[in-house]
Amino acid sequence: MDTDGTSLAVANSDGTVQLWDLDAGRVTRHICEVVGLSVDRDRWRKLIPDVPAHRPCP
């Protein structure tokens, strides 16, 4: 059982359980590895206007 607050277990009505990673840095690195995309500043502002723009993927 994870007790450090970095993951969340969710039980669905069909009996399945999903484990979600809540560590934003680790999740971002994983997405970058899988997708390999960067978002330009205009697209970032449109998608996530309340978060300062930065390049999550190198």
Side-chain angles (χ1 to χ4, degrees), residues 21-42:
D21 190 347
L22 301 179
D23 182 295
R26 191 168 44 236
V27 170
T28 301
R29 285 188 300 277
H30 178 71
I31 291 170
C32 291
E33 289 170 5
V34 172
V35 180
L37 295 178
S38 287
V39 178
D40 65 29
R41 288 187 182 276
D42 291 333

Side-chain angles (χ1 to χ4, degrees), residues 10-18:
V10 179
N12 296 313
S13 60
D14 64 1
T16 61
V17 176
Q18 293 178 313

